[in-house]
């Protein structure tokens, strides 16, 4: 079983952030978030305000997982995009391999524009994330993970405070 | 539509830019065994700066419909913040499809057993279901960080811990007696699984 952690190096992280920044601008979006399919937030760019992006990431993954389950029941592999339109704020989610691209937008933009721009950036995001996976496998293979040397005392120390 | 490589099994996320490790822990078990109560207690007794929101996707009658979720920050190891994402699954049998979805990408599992005599069959069925659902993602319970919690020890009609352990323990995993409704054993359970998850990082 492949069991190596996903490692995001700084350079790759900034590359992903730059792609999100460009998408946000091109789509006139409020916020762009890249989320792993299992609910971990990878990167975010835009007007955060008080928004709880950790919960947003987890719920987006749950949402995609649930609609993916429905897709399979009717004989589809998955639904590659999802959109939720609200009175003022809307959300568009694209499934790009194992990551989800989530765009939050309001009436400064439109669903059509967000869809178009999301699609345009998805190839580059897929490539960037494929690199992340290659980095992770390489680090696992050559033993250069940061926690290879972690001691029992260090782990215990995390639990010493209530 | 573009595709990257197919989904892999493990999901620990290490971000060098934000100096964070993120791990996913799932509380599993039969309906009404106290999974949500475990999370609620952790949420209520954790300082505001260490936790995010507790999200509960529940029915009108407060039964878990899809999942409960809360992020919890434990502290720093080697300059990295350790964040645990805690999830519960819906316990009721007919929510099988949603329950399975939550297990995807799990780093550690807590099985919350209901100690009451009349729930023994439900425990066994749920444990069997856990193993089956893990296998469908290519995981083996035997290789996964795992803790068995014997919950509801305060009720009158409970099975003795030794008997429950004999019936439900799978691989010498830590067994914690608990009364989640007043917090007994809740943090011991979390620590036992979190330690295993971090120890696993050393191995990988």
């Amino acid at each position: 079983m492949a069991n190596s952690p996903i490692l995001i190096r700084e350079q790759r992280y900034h590359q992903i952030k730059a792609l999100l920044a460009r998408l946000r601008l091109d789509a006139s979006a409020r916020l762009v978030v890249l989320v792993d399919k299992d609910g971990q937030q990878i990167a975010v760019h835009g007007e955060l305000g008080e928004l709880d992006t950790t919960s947003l990431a987890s719920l987006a993954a749950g949402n995609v997982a649930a609609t993916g389950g429905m897709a399979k029941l009717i004989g589809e592999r998955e639904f590659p995009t999802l959109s939720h339109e609200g009175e003022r704020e809307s959300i568009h989610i694209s499934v790009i391999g194992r990551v989800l691209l989530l765009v939050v937008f309001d009436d400064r933009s439109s669903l059509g524009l967000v869809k178009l721009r999301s699609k345009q950036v998805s190839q580059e995001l897929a490539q960037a994330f494929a690199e992340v996976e290659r980095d992770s496998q390489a680090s696992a293979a050559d033993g250069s993970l940061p926690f290879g040397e972690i001691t029992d005392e260090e782990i215990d120390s995390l639990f010493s405070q209530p | 539509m573009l595709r990257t490589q197919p989904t892999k099994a493990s999901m620990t996320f290490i971000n060098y830019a934000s100096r964070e490790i993120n791990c996913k822990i799932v509380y599993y078990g039969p309906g009404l065994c106290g999974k949500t109560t475990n999370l609620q207690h952790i949420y209520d007794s954790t300082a505001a700066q260490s936790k995010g929101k507790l999200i509960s996707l529940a029915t009108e009658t407060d039964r878990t419909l899809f999942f409960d979720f809360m992020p919890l920050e434990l502290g720093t190891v080697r300059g990295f913040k350790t964040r645990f994402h805690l999830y519960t699954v819906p316990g009721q049998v007919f929510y099988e499809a949603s329950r399975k979805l939550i297990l995807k990408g799990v780093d550690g599992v807590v099985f919350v057993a209901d100690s009451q005599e009349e729930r023994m069959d439900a425990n066994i069925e749920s444990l069997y279901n856990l193993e089956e659902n893990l296998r469908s993602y290519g995981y083996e319970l035997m290789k996964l960080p795992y803790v068995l919690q014997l919950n509801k020890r305060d009720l009158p009609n409970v099975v003795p811990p030794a008997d429950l352990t004999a019936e439900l323990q799978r691989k010498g995993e830590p067994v914690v007696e608990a009364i989640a409704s007043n917090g007994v054993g809740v943090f011991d359970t979390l620590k036992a699984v979190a330690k295993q998850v971090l120890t696993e990082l050393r191995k990988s």
Side-chain angles (χ1 to χ4, degrees):
Chain A
M1 169 172 88
N3 203 26
S4 54
I6 300 293
L7 286 179
I8 302 186
R9 304 259 177 217
E10 291 199 35
Q11 185 197 352
R12 203 69 68 199
Y13 179 76
H14 293 303
Q15 181 192 352
I16 288 171
K17 284 272 282 186
L19 288 171
L20 298 188
R22 197 180 78 205
L23 170 61
R24 189 201 160 214
L25 198 67
D26 290 350
S28 302
R30 184 184 147 197
L31 184 78
V32 182
V33 195
L34 194 67
V35 179
D36 174 81
K37 260 189 178 171
D38 301 332
Q40 309 268 19
Q41 179 186 308
I42 298 166
V44 57
H45 184 84
E47 297 163 22
L48 280 170
E50 294 294 299
L51 187 65
D52 176 0
T53 54
T54 306
S55 297
L56 188 66
S58 162
L59 291 169
N63 187 0
V64 168
T67 47
M70 290 197 291
K72 287 196 179 72
L73 289 178
I74 61 165
E76 276 292 322
R77 196 186 142 177
E78 67 184 355
F79 296 123
T81 63
L82 304 176
S83 29
H84 305 291
E85 293 182 77
E87 237 173 77
R88 290 183 308 274
E89 306 280 338
S90 300
I91 289 177
H92 179 261
I93 303 173
S94 339
V95 181
I96 308 171
R98 66 169 291 170
V99 294
L100 313 176
L101 176 62
L102 190 149
V103 182
V104 181
F105 61 99
D106 54 24
D107 55 14
R108 288 173 285 178
S109 185
S110 69
L111 181 58
L113 180 66
V114 169
K115 269 187 168 177
L116 174 72
R117 298 303 190 202
S118 295
K119 201 170 175 185
Q120 285 171 339
V121 81
S122 58
Q123 170 102 40
E124 284 173 273
L125 278 171
Q127 276 168 2
F129 207 77
E131 292 295 331
V132 166
E133 292 193 307
R134 270 196 285 279
D135 290 348
S136 305
Q137 280 157 14
S139 294
D142 68 16
S144 63
L145 289 170
F147 306 102
E149 309 287 311
I150 194 172
T151 62
D152 287 341
E153 288 72 30
E154 282 175 302
I155 294 175
D156 283 335
S157 75
L158 276 180
F159 302 101
S160 57
Q161 294 146 10
Chain B
M1 196 64 217
L2 290 159
R3 308 254 180 242
T4 54
Q5 296 168 5
T7 305
K8 283 195 310 177
S10 160
M11 258 330 303
T12 306
F13 247 86
I14 303 176
N15 188 330
Y16 277 82
S18 55
R19 310 296 285 180
E20 275 180 7
I21 323 170
N22 287 287
C23 310
K24 177 173 179 177
I25 292 176
V26 173
Y27 284 72
Y28 210 92
L32 294 175
C33 68
K35 301 173 290 292
T36 301
T37 312
N38 265 268
L39 247 64
Q40 188 69 52
H41 179 77
I42 294 167
Y43 183 80
D44 291 341
S45 16
T46 309
Q49 68 270 21
S50 307
K51 66 185 176 192
K53 284 196 186 100
L54 173 60
I55 300 275
S56 272
L57 302 181
T59 65
E60 297 277 314
T61 52
D62 269 344
R63 302 295 303 268
T64 303
L65 173 65
F66 194 3
F67 59 80
D68 307 303
F69 164 76
M70 77 167 278
L72 178 72
E73 202 173 298
L74 275 185
T76 305
V77 168
R78 305 236 156 172
F80 282 79
K81 275 185 270 180
T82 56
R83 299 183 84 209
F84 285 84
H85 290 199
L86 311 181
Y87 285 84
T88 67
V89 298
Q92 294 179 88
V93 173
F94 60 89
Y95 288 135
E96 167 60 10
S98 335
R99 186 163 44 241
K100 187 172 156 185
L101 294 173
I102 309 303
L103 278 178
K104 199 158 147 273
V106 69
D107 292 302
V109 175
V110 171
F111 186 85
V112 181
D114 188 329
S115 297
Q116 298 176 91
E117 217 176 306
E118 65 269 27
R119 296 300 284 162
M120 189 55 116
D121 286 351
N123 289 327
I124 293 169
E125 187 184 2
S126 176
L127 184 54
Y128 178 77
N129 175 256
L130 167 65
E131 291 189 278
E132 202 173 61
N133 281 337
L134 286 172
R135 265 198 299 275
S136 74
Y137 290 122
Y139 293 104
E140 278 297 332
L141 180 64
M142 304 309 271
K143 293 182 185 163
L144 204 66
Y146 178 63
V147 174
L148 171 63
Q149 182 187 78
L150 310 179
N151 194 22
K152 306 197 183 185
R153 297 309 304 167
D154 57 328
L155 295 186
N157 52 338
V158 294
V159 177
D163 295 355
L164 274 171
T165 304
E167 189 69 56
L168 301 173
Q169 195 183 32
R170 277 291 181 273
K171 53 168 186 172
E173 72 271 15
V175 180
V176 181
E177 291 184 40
I179 309 167
S181 56
N182 64 19
V184 173
V186 169
F187 275 95
D188 291 337
T189 304
L190 175 64
K191 284 175 193 178
V193 73
K195 273 189 185 182
Q196 289 179 59
V197 169
L198 292 171
T199 307
E200 202 61 30
L201 278 178
R202 176 166 60 194
K203 285 189 216 154
S204 67

